[in-house]
Amino acid sequence: MQILIIESETYLAQSLARKLENEGHICCVRMPNQNIQDDSEYDVVLLGSFFESAKLIKSYPNSVIIMLANYLNSDITSALRAGANDYILKPVIMEELLRKINMHSAFLRAKQLNESFEGILQEQNNYNLKDLLKLRLPLRIECSSVTNCDIFVYALSKAKNQSFLRLKNDLSKLNSSLQILYFYNFDELSQKEQDSIKESKNKKLIIRSSQELEGFSTYEISTYNTNIMPIDDYIKHCIISHQDTHNDTQLASILGISRKSLWERRRKYDIAKKK
């Protein structure tokens, strides 16, 4: 990781940099009074506590910021309010510092990834809020597409202001009452696993299944796609997908074109013929 150390105690800053570099990190050391306005991106900023701490914290909104403190005081409290992620007391124990760096870095990455996926799913969410709120759990979803089912469960959990766990066959979570449990491949589970889920007293269940389930309300999601693929795109797709299993005569016949036309299409679409 790229780590910036801003600390007035030169010996401490150099010592931390050396030890962190031994762990495989890349460190840059700056004094508090140096010009630190640059375009560099840092994964972590280790920041000594002094009067401009809050200003510096705002300069690195995408970094994990850990304060280096002689003792817990109002400056540290103010820094945490300004956006610092954590603090560590001097003398710094390297194992503790590495633990904090790894923990907060993993959390930041997970948060950013979650926000990205939420943005993608939100764009696909075309469900009406009032309709979603009418649905009652436990719920069986009839849907041939796992992706469409995932989007629906995301929309429903948002509408109900609850989180959910997407599960394959982890039955140990059945006693959990904190989250909606979503089994996306119920029909592929063993009979014993299916019976355990059906007999569970947990009502916060969503199951994707083609089976009728006693005690479950049902919601059907249509996966019919009304979009029509352009002819050129369809022919290109067919050539790429089937030229390994069909010779030119067969492929041209299936597409209803001549072998010459097939050759011209390959040239037009820049498709290399498989040997």
Side-chain angles (χ1 to χ4, degrees):
M1 286 187 286
Q2 299 276 355
I3 299 178
L4 173 63
I5 304 172
I6 306 174
E7 170 57 56
S8 57
E9 296 180 33
T10 305
Y11 174 79
L12 172 62
Q14 295 293 346
S15 176
L16 287 175
R18 185 169 58 254
K19 291 176 181 177
L20 288 168
E21 286 172 350
N22 289 339
E23 295 292 331
H25 302 292
I26 300 172
C27 295
C28 177
V29 177
R30 300 278 179 87
M31 293 294 290
N33 57 358
Q34 279 185 276
N35 179 16
I36 60 170
Q37 296 301 321
D38 55 32
D39 296 327
S40 302
E41 290 287 338
Y42 295 99
D43 301 298
V44 178
V45 177
L46 303 181
L47 181 59
S49 56
F50 39 87
F51 70 96
E52 286 191 337
S53 295
K55 179 181 177 181
L56 290 172
I57 288 169
K58 293 178 181 178
S59 299
Y60 299 96
N62 299 317
S63 303
V64 171
I65 298 178
I66 299 177
M67 303 299 298
L68 305 170
N70 292 309
Y71 54 90
L72 184 59
N73 54 32
S74 59
D75 291 340
I76 294 299
T77 304
S78 299
L80 292 173
R81 288 174 180 164
N85 299 93
D86 207 339
Y87 69 92
I88 188 167
L89 296 177
K90 304 173 185 176
V92 176
I93 299 174
M94 184 55 57
E95 290 77 9
E96 178 67 6
L97 177 60
L98 289 171
R99 186 189 68 80
K100 287 177 179 287
I101 288 175
N102 292 334
M103 179 183 70
H104 287 290
S105 297
F107 172 78
L108 184 60
R109 287 194 299 271
K111 181 181 177 182
Q112 292 169 340
L113 186 62
N114 182 65
E115 290 172 351
S116 297
F117 279 124
E118 284 214 353
I120 294 170
L121 290 170
Q122 188 63 46
E123 289 180 2
Q124 304 296 322
N125 177 12
N126 297 315
Y127 294 98
N128 183 278
L129 178 62
K130 291 183 179 180
D131 293 338
L132 292 172
L133 290 174
K134 292 177 183 177
L135 297 174
R136 296 289 176 262
L137 304 180
L139 177 67
R140 176 182 74 92
I141 302 174
E142 192 168 328
C143 180
S144 59
S145 167
V146 176
T147 300
N148 287 358
C149 195
D150 290 347
I151 293 170
F152 169 80
V153 173
Y154 164 80
L156 181 60
S157 66
K158 278 289 186 181
K160 292 183 175 293
N161 196 27
Q162 297 187 44
S163 60
F164 71 92
L165 287 177
R166 186 179 186 269
L167 302 172
K168 184 176 182 180
N169 56 359
D170 189 354
L171 305 187
S172 65
K173 300 289 195 302
L174 277 175
N175 293 326
S176 172
S177 59
L178 299 177
Q179 298 151 311
I180 295 173
L181 305 183
Y182 162 44
F183 290 92
Y184 67 90
N185 66 336
F186 181 82
D187 292 347
E188 298 175 17
L189 301 179
S190 68
Q191 189 61 53
K192 182 179 180 180
E193 289 171 327
Q194 290 185 10
D195 290 342
S196 295
I197 295 172
K198 288 189 290 186
E199 293 167 5
S200 170
K201 295 181 180 180
N202 192 338
K203 300 300 182 184
K204 297 175 70 172
L205 297 177
I206 297 178
I207 293 175
R208 173 178 165 265
S209 174
S210 59
Q211 307 175 34
E212 292 289 340
L213 299 177
E214 185 177 353
F216 283 71
S217 54
T218 299
Y219 186 84
E220 184 176 353
I221 300 175
S222 173
T223 57
Y224 179 71
N225 187 358
T226 57
N227 294 328
I228 300 176
M229 184 182 292
I231 292 295
D232 279 354
D233 290 348
Y234 174 74
I235 293 177
K236 180 179 179 180
H237 169 75
C238 288
I239 294 173
I240 294 172
S241 301
H242 301 292
Q243 65 177 355
D244 291 340
T245 55
H246 296 75
N247 60 39
D248 283 2
T249 301
Q250 294 170 327
L251 195 53
S253 177
I254 293 171
L255 294 172
I257 59 179
S258 65
R259 291 185 60 183
K260 180 182 178 181
S261 180
L262 177 60
W263 178 82
E264 291 172 345
R265 297 277 185 169
R266 275 205 181 97
R267 185 177 179 182
K268 176 182 178 180
Y269 305 139
D270 194 24
I271 301 173
K273 184 177 179 181
K274 301 292 183 179
K275 301 296 184 182

